[in-house]
Amino acid sequence: MMVRWSGWRRAALAAWLVPAGCAASSEGPYCQWEEDEVDLDWNFGLPGTERTPRKVLEGLTRRYRGTLTWGDGGAWFSTVPTGETTGFTSQVSYEGRVRWRRDPTASGGKASLDCQASLLFDTTISMTTDDGLIDDTWPATIDYVLSGYDGVTHDFGPVYQVAEDRLQIEARPDAPRRIGAIEYRPHLSWLNLESTHPEANFVHNGWILLVAELLDEQTGEPLPYTGLAWQVAQWQAVIPAVPDPGAAPSDAMR
């Protein structure tokens, strides 16, 4: 499911119980996707407008600087560090391929909302935190919805290993419930990428979510319709007001 940010939430990071498997996905069987590779100067706007993948990349590939907060596992997890804040820098590099994805059968109703046309950018994302826990580059596909102004990542994985190995996350032996299989679900998004206003609020948000099974205390089997979701980290970044020498759009638009 594509998540849109309406603003930066600074609520305390915590674990909470969520129903599992109850949300429909835009990857559902009713989406009949077709994809075509397009040029960076392909105009996807209305006649007389200029909306191109190149314009999206101008905002996407800038260097962003912001603050990241590590989660506090509370009664559920032990983790290092816990509840601490650090600065970080991130930058997207375009890897030379952009695709136009759409469902030509979606017209009206739920399918037209869930199966919206988008641009898929093949990229790599570099991210470095001041505390040294993240200093990595990983491949990612950024999904830019043509009817909106944000890009959302999917299909990237090395952050999983960062969360497990470097943060030393372990379920507490006296946790409120028994915890089963765990997976990590990173999410990144960018807002206002196409804005031409000189004071545009280009924003890069993200989080890493840990999702775990809860087990029956007696049988050890996963409990149906329940699960545990916990934010390992969340962050917000903007383009610095005083750019450093590397703050121009990355040379990845080569």
Side-chain angles (χ1 to χ4, degrees):
M1 176 167 55
M2 203 164 293
V3 179
R4 303 289 172 83
W5 284 76
S6 59
W8 176 240
R9 296 174 291 181
R10 290 192 175 275
L13 304 185
W16 63 94
L17 299 181
V18 295
C22 62
S25 168
S26 61
E27 301 299 322
Y30 52 79
C31 292
Q32 307 298 315
W33 295 121
E34 293 183 6
E35 293 182 8
D36 290 308
E37 193 162 342
V38 295
D39 186 82
L40 285 180
D41 295 312
W42 174 65
N43 191 346
F44 57 85
L46 296 173
T49 65
E50 186 178 353
R51 297 184 67 194
T52 65
R54 188 182 301 276
K55 175 61 180 173
V56 176
L57 283 172
E58 287 177 2
L60 187 64
T61 58
R62 299 292 295 270
R63 181 166 297 177
Y64 287 79
R65 176 73 183 170
T67 300
L68 178 149
T69 303
W70 297 112
D72 181 347
W76 294 91
F77 298 97
S78 63
T79 177
V80 177
T82 178
E84 297 179 8
T85 297
T86 181
F88 82 97
T89 302
S90 69
Q91 186 159 19
V92 169
S93 294
Y94 174 57
E95 292 300 309
R97 189 169 74 126
V98 57
R99 289 158 287 150
W100 175 39
R101 185 178 77 160
R102 76 277 184 205
D103 180 356
T105 69
S107 58
K110 181 176 176 58
S112 64
L113 296 176
D114 289 346
C115 308
Q116 296 184 67
S118 63
L119 296 174
L120 302 179
F121 292 92
D122 291 351
T123 70
T124 57
I125 300 174
S126 62
M127 187 169 180
T128 303
T129 56
D130 295 352
D131 61 11
L133 285 173
I134 296 179
D135 186 6
D136 297 279
T137 300
W138 56 84
T141 300
I142 296 180
D143 189 347
Y144 183 79
V145 181
L146 299 189
S147 61
Y149 289 91
D150 40 3
V152 180
T153 64
H154 61 91
D155 295 342
F156 72 87
V159 163
Y160 305 161
Q161 185 174 353
V162 169
E164 254 183 321
D165 296 349
R166 300 183 195 168
L167 299 183
Q168 304 175 40
I169 297 173
E170 296 180 355
R172 294 190 183 279
D174 57 348
R177 300 296 298 264
R178 293 178 61 186
I179 297 173
I182 291 174
E183 63 180 55
Y184 295 89
R185 298 179 184 174
H187 177 107
L188 284 75
S189 65
W190 291 260
L191 305 180
N192 301 326
L193 290 176
E194 286 190 70
S195 176
T196 58
H197 193 281
E199 297 180 3
N201 186 23
F202 295 94
V203 179
H204 165 38
N205 290 312
W207 70 79
I208 303 173
L209 192 67
L210 177 153
V211 178
E213 294 178 332
L214 293 180
L215 305 180
D216 184 277
E217 298 292 339
Q218 303 300 322
T219 67
E221 295 295 318
L223 291 171
Y225 312 115
T226 64
L228 174 70
W230 173 64
Q231 281 188 330
V232 176
Q234 67 174 359
W235 60 86
Q236 183 187 54
V238 297
I239 299 172
V242 180
D244 60 47
S250 77
D251 60 3
M253 287 196 286
R254 53 190 178 275

